[in-house]
Coordinates of all heavy atoms in Angstrom, one line a residue:
S646 N 49.9 10.4 229.0 CA 50.6 11.1 228.0 C 50.3 12.6 228.1 O 51.2 13.5 228.0 CB 50.3 10.6 226.6 OG 48.9 10.7 226.4
I647 N 49.1 13.0 228.3 CA 48.7 14.4 228.3 C 49.2 15.0 229.6 O 49.7 16.2 229.6 CB 47.2 14.6 228.3 CG1 46.7 14.2 226.8 CG2 46.8 16.0 228.5 CD1 45.2 14.3 226.6
V648 N 49.2 14.3 230.8 CA 49.7 14.9 232.0 C 51.2 15.1 231.8 O 51.7 16.2 232.3 CB 49.4 13.9 233.2 CG1 50.2 14.4 234.4 CG2 47.9 14.0 233.5
V649 N 51.9 14.2 231.3 CA 53.4 14.3 231.1 C 53.7 15.4 230.1 O 54.6 16.3 230.4 CB 54.0 13.0 230.5 CG1 55.4 13.2 230.1 CG2 53.8 11.9 231.6
I650 N 53.0 15.6 229.0 CA 53.2 16.6 228.0 C 53.0 18.0 228.7 O 53.8 18.9 228.5 CB 52.4 16.5 226.8 CG1 52.9 15.2 226.0 CG2 52.5 17.6 225.8 CD1 51.9 14.8 224.9
L651 N 51.9 18.1 229.4 CA 51.6 19.4 230.0 C 52.6 19.7 231.1 O 52.9 20.9 231.3 CB 50.2 19.4 230.6 CG 49.0 19.5 229.6 CD1 47.7 19.3 230.3 CD2 49.1 20.8 228.8
G652 N 53.1 18.8 231.8 CA 54.1 18.9 232.8 C 55.4 19.4 232.2 O 56.1 20.2 232.8
V653 N 55.7 18.9 231.0 CA 57.0 19.3 230.4 C 56.8 20.7 229.8 O 57.7 21.6 229.9 CB 57.3 18.3 229.2 CG1 58.5 18.9 228.3 CG2 57.7 17.0 229.8
I654 N 55.7 21.0 229.1 CA 55.5 22.3 228.5 C 55.3 23.4 229.6 O 55.8 24.5 229.5 CB 54.2 22.2 227.6 CG1 54.5 21.4 226.3 CG2 53.9 23.7 227.1 CD1 53.4 21.2 225.4
S655 N 54.6 23.1 230.6 CA 54.3 23.9 231.8 C 53.6 25.2 231.4 O 52.5 25.5 231.8 CB 55.6 24.2 232.6 OG 56.5 24.9 231.8
D656 N 54.2 26.1 230.6 CA 53.6 27.3 230.1 C 53.6 27.4 228.6 O 54.6 27.8 228.0 CB 54.5 28.5 230.7 CG 53.8 29.9 230.4 OD1 52.7 29.9 229.9 OD2 54.5 30.9 230.6
P657 N 52.5 27.0 228.0 CA 52.5 27.0 226.5 C 52.7 28.4 225.9 O 53.2 28.5 224.8 CB 51.1 26.4 226.2 CG 50.3 26.6 227.5 CD 51.3 26.6 228.6
T658 N 52.2 29.5 226.6 CA 52.3 30.8 226.0 C 53.8 31.2 225.8 O 54.1 31.9 224.9 CB 51.7 31.8 226.9 OG1 52.2 31.8 228.3 CG2 50.2 31.5 227.0
A659 N 54.7 30.6 226.7 CA 56.1 30.9 226.5 C 56.7 30.3 225.2 O 57.7 30.7 224.8 CB 56.9 30.4 227.7
L660 N 56.0 29.3 224.7 CA 56.4 28.6 223.5 C 55.7 29.2 222.3 O 55.7 28.7 221.2 CB 56.2 27.1 223.6 CG 57.1 26.5 224.7 CD1 56.6 25.0 224.8 CD2 58.6 26.6 224.4
G661 N 54.8 30.2 222.5 CA 54.0 30.8 221.4 C 52.8 30.0 221.1 O 52.2 30.2 220.0
I662 N 52.3 29.2 222.0 CA 51.1 28.4 221.8 C 49.9 29.0 222.6 O 50.1 29.2 223.8 CB 51.3 26.9 222.1 CG1 52.5 26.4 221.4 CG2 50.1 26.1 221.8 CD1 52.9 25.0 221.7
D663 N 48.8 29.2 221.9 CA 47.6 29.6 222.6 C 47.1 28.4 223.5 O 46.9 27.3 223.0 CB 46.5 30.1 221.7 CG 45.3 30.5 222.4 OD1 45.4 31.3 223.3 OD2 44.2 30.1 221.9
P664 N 46.9 28.6 224.8 CA 46.4 27.5 225.7 C 45.1 26.9 225.2 O 44.9 25.7 225.3 CB 46.2 28.2 227.0 CG 47.1 29.4 227.0 CD 47.1 29.9 225.6
E665 N 44.2 27.7 224.6 CA 42.9 27.2 224.1 C 43.2 26.3 222.9 O 42.5 25.2 222.7 CB 42.0 28.3 223.7 CG 41.5 29.1 225.0 CD 40.5 30.1 224.6 OE1 40.2 30.3 223.4 OE2 40.0 30.9 225.5
T666 N 44.1 26.7 222.0 CA 44.4 25.9 220.9 C 45.1 24.5 221.3 O 44.7 23.4 220.8 CB 45.5 26.6 220.0 OG1 44.9 27.8 219.6 CG2 45.9 25.7 218.8
L667 N 46.0 24.6 222.3 CA 46.6 23.3 222.8 C 45.5 22.5 223.5 O 45.6 21.2 223.3 CB 47.7 23.7 223.8 CG 48.5 22.5 224.4 CD1 49.2 21.8 223.2 CD2 49.5 23.0 225.4
A668 N 44.6 23.1 224.2 CA 43.5 22.3 224.8 C 42.7 21.6 223.7 O 42.3 20.4 223.9 CB 42.6 23.2 225.7
M669 N 42.4 22.3 222.7 CA 41.6 21.6 221.6 C 42.4 20.5 220.9 O 41.8 19.4 220.6 CB 41.3 22.7 220.5 CG 40.4 22.1 219.4 SD 38.8 21.5 220.0 CE 38.1 23.0 220.7
V670 N 43.7 20.6 220.8 CA 44.6 19.6 220.3 C 44.4 18.3 221.1 O 44.3 17.2 220.7 CB 46.0 20.0 220.2 CG1 46.9 18.9 219.9 CG2 46.2 21.1 219.1
F671 N 44.5 18.6 222.5 CA 44.5 17.4 223.4 C 43.1 16.7 223.4 O 43.0 15.5 223.5 CB 44.8 17.9 224.8 CG 46.3 18.1 225.0 CD1 46.8 19.2 225.7 CD2 47.2 17.2 224.5 CE1 48.1 19.4 225.9 CE2 48.6 17.3 224.7 CZ 49.0 18.4 225.4
I672 N 42.0 17.6 223.3 CA 40.7 17.0 223.3 C 40.5 16.1 222.1 O 39.9 15.0 222.2 CB 39.6 18.2 223.3 CG1 39.6 18.9 224.6 CG2 38.2 17.7 222.9 CD1 38.8 20.1 224.7
V673 N 40.9 16.6 220.9 CA 40.7 15.8 219.7 C 41.6 14.6 219.7 O 41.2 13.4 219.4 CB 41.0 16.6 218.4 CG1 40.9 15.8 217.2 CG2 40.0 17.8 218.3
A674 N 42.8 14.8 220.2 CA 43.7 13.6 220.3 C 43.2 12.5 221.3 O 43.3 11.3 221.0 CB 45.1 14.1 220.7
W675 N 42.7 13.0 222.4 CA 42.1 12.0 223.3 C 40.9 11.3 222.7 O 40.8 10.1 222.8 CB 41.7 12.8 224.6 CG 41.4 11.8 225.8 CD1 40.8 10.6 225.8 CD2 41.7 12.1 227.1 NE1 40.7 10.1 227.0 CE2 41.2 11.0 227.9 CE3 42.3 13.2 227.8 CZ2 41.4 11.0 229.3 CZ3 42.4 13.2 229.2 CH2 42.0 12.0 229.9
S676 N 40.1 12.0 222.0 CA 38.9 11.4 221.4 C 39.3 10.4 220.3 O 38.7 9.3 220.2 CB 38.0 12.5 220.8 OG 37.6 13.4 221.7
L677 N 40.3 10.8 219.5 CA 40.8 9.9 218.5 C 41.4 8.6 219.1 O 41.2 7.5 218.6 CB 41.8 10.6 217.6 CG 42.2 9.9 216.3 CD1 41.1 9.4 215.4 CD2 43.2 10.7 215.5
T678 N 42.2 8.8 220.2 CA 42.8 7.7 220.8 C 41.8 6.7 221.4 O 42.0 5.5 221.4 CB 43.7 8.2 222.0 OG1 44.7 9.1 221.5 CG2 44.5 7.0 222.6
A679 N 40.7 7.2 221.9 CA 39.6 6.4 222.4 C 39.1 5.4 221.4 O 38.6 4.3 221.6 CB 38.6 7.2 223.0
Q680 N 39.1 5.9 220.0 CA 38.6 5.1 219.0 C 39.6 4.3 218.2 O 39.3 3.4 217.5 CB 37.9 6.1 218.0 CG 36.9 7.0 218.6 CD 35.8 6.2 219.3 OE1 35.3 5.2 218.8 NE2 35.4 6.7 220.4
S681 N 41.0 4.6 218.5 CA 42.0 3.9 217.7 C 42.9 3.0 218.5 O 43.8 2.4 217.9 CB 42.8 5.0 217.0 OG 43.5 5.9 217.9
S682 N 42.7 3.0 219.8 CA 43.6 2.1 220.6 C 42.8 1.0 221.3 O 41.7 1.3 221.9 CB 44.2 3.0 221.8 OG 44.9 2.1 222.7

């Protein structure tokens, strides 16, 4: 899912998203998925 999302977004700054913020979103989402799936 993360590879696909990053492939679609490609350049987060073009969408107004800070890359570090997006990275943190993915880190927490991955951690939560590991405990909830």
Side-chain angles (χ1 to χ4, degrees):
S646 57
I647 292 177
V648 168
V649 172
I650 293 171
L651 286 176
V653 172
I654 292 177
S655 64
D656 183 12
T658 56
L660 299 172
I662 305 175
D663 179 45
E665 293 183 358
T666 300
L667 186 61
M669 186 59 65
V670 169
F671 284 136
I672 289 172
V673 175
W675 194 324
S676 302
L677 186 60
T678 302
Q680 305 303 318
S681 61
S682 172

